[in-house]
Amino acid sequence: MKLLSVYNLDYLKTVFSTMKMLPSLHIGSKEFHYLFPRKANVIMYITNRCNSRCVICNHWKQTPKHDLSLRVIKDLLTSKTINKNGFLIEGGEGILHPHFEKVLRLFKGRYFTLLTNGILTNRLVELVEKYKIPSVSISLDGTRPTYERIRGIDGYGDVLKTIDLLKGKTNLGICFTITPWNTYEDYLHVREICIQRNLRLLVNIFSKMKFMGVEDSEDLIDIRFEKINNPYVSLYNEWVRGRVVIPCFSMRFLTVVRPNGDVVLCQYKDIVLGNLYEKSFDEIWNDESTKSIQRAHRLCNECWVSSHRAFDIKFTLLLKKIFSPSLLKKIIERI
């Protein structure tokens, strides 16, 4: 019975989940890679159209406007090297894609998350109900004055209305981004909204992302954020001070598709691996040049973008549970 204890079962789950990830690090034999093939999750920026005027990104300023084609999206959904349910859809504002309903039809039967500003209340609620969008994440920056300062429009009331109408209709989460334009008190405000409605609160940190026009953002954040029970947030100031160094595992499991079809190494670096109007995702992802680029940046510690660093921290902790420090060092040297 001791072998079936909760602790041992959790440990075995950790071992199994880690084994499935090792092929993406180019570790293991051919037989092992056959059993656990290299897979990717994808952040899809399906359009750079946006109805906000945010100071935290420049999508709304970008020209020309690009919309990822239905053909490319369909090809992505049939890829052998993308996890079936490994998609995050965003923009700009994804709903503004001119064929967004057709995009949702392509995703029928899959689990995915739609990241949205939540301003188009009636339209978003209609789409969630009609197409059973499984997961929605809505951005909220703080109080009404803070929201207007960051988003450039008076959309605070619309966002709260959207949140209340969507509660119970999808797996709803609220995303708060720590920026130079909001405060810890804004965080407490958004947290209280989530507590009152029993909703998930996701915390992000404003980070360098050239694609969004963000090139300087490595400021220390209010030390009160360090008390949040989230290592991605609590370790940030130490990273800014140069005291946290974590390998970049995430680029092996996660990639980014831009509205013009470019597949890029990560959210931070402007390194294009290929274009989906010229090659399939499988060709790009499995190409030796892609693997070579990933190896060359395996020790990158230059960003704190949530979609990468949160995973890197979690995966590092997983590896530490299984491997000795010396073996872990060898693994990191091999990836």
Side-chain angles (χ1 to χ4, degrees), residues 39-245:
K39 293 282 188 177
N41 292 336
V42 177
I43 297 176
M44 296 174 58
Y45 290 92
I46 62 173
T47 183
N48 59 354
R49 302 175 191 273
C50 194
N51 52 350
S52 291
R53 298 293 183 267
C54 301
V55 297
I56 57 176
C57 97
N58 69 355
H59 276 165
W60 59 278
K61 295 180 181 178
Q62 291 176 4
T63 54
K65 294 302 179 185
H66 294 286
D67 306 294
L68 204 60
S69 75
L70 293 173
R71 179 188 68 77
V72 165
I73 295 173
K74 186 174 181 180
D75 288 346
L76 284 169
L77 291 171
T78 58
S79 166
K80 296 179 181 179
T81 52
I82 298 178
N83 287 313
K84 179 183 177 182
N85 299 318
F87 292 91
L88 171 65
I89 298 177
E90 57 178 295
E93 173 55 46
I95 292 176
L96 297 180
H97 188 291
H99 303 294
F100 190 64
E101 288 204 50
K102 292 181 179 179
V103 172
L104 292 177
R105 292 190 194 108
L106 291 175
F107 274 88
K108 184 179 180 180
R110 293 173 181 264
Y111 190 92
F112 65 94
T113 296
L114 172 66
L115 179 60
T116 174
N117 58 30
I119 296 172
L120 299 174
T121 300
N122 294 335
R123 180 60 173 156
L124 179 57
V125 173
E126 176 191 6
L127 291 170
V128 168
E129 292 177 340
K130 183 176 180 180
Y131 294 99
K132 311 300 179 186
I133 298 176
S135 177
V136 175
S137 179
I138 297 177
S139 299
L140 185 59
D141 309 299
T143 62
R144 182 186 293 271
T146 298
Y147 186 95
E148 292 181 16
R149 182 167 60 251
I150 292 177
R151 299 284 163 172
I153 61 170
D154 180 12
Y156 177 85
D158 293 322
V159 171
L160 289 189
K161 183 179 178 181
T162 300
I163 290 170
D164 288 334
L165 289 175
L166 284 184
K167 187 177 182 302
K169 296 180 179 180
T170 182
N171 182 16
L172 183 61
I174 309 304
C175 183
F176 175 84
T177 300
I178 303 169
T179 77
W181 299 279
N182 56 8
T183 65
Y184 185 75
E185 285 68 32
D186 284 306
Y187 161 75
L188 294 178
H189 175 79
V190 175
R191 187 182 71 172
E192 184 60 29
I193 288 174
C194 291
I195 291 173
Q196 291 175 356
R197 293 163 174 78
N198 192 28
L199 294 174
R200 294 179 297 123
L201 174 59
L202 313 170
V203 182
N204 185 24
I205 299 176
F206 182 63
S207 302
K208 285 183 178 180
M209 293 176 68
K210 293 179 182 179
F211 171 54
M212 294 186 176
V214 182
E215 300 198 26
D216 185 16
S217 61
E218 294 175 5
D219 297 321
L220 293 173
I221 59 177
D222 191 317
I223 60 172
R224 290 177 290 177
F225 283 113
E226 295 177 9
K227 298 178 182 179
I228 296 177
N229 186 25
N230 179 340
Y232 163 73
V233 177
S234 61
L235 290 174
Y236 173 77
N237 281 341
E238 288 297 281
W239 172 75
V240 173
R241 296 184 180 106
R243 298 171 186 167
V244 174
V245 179

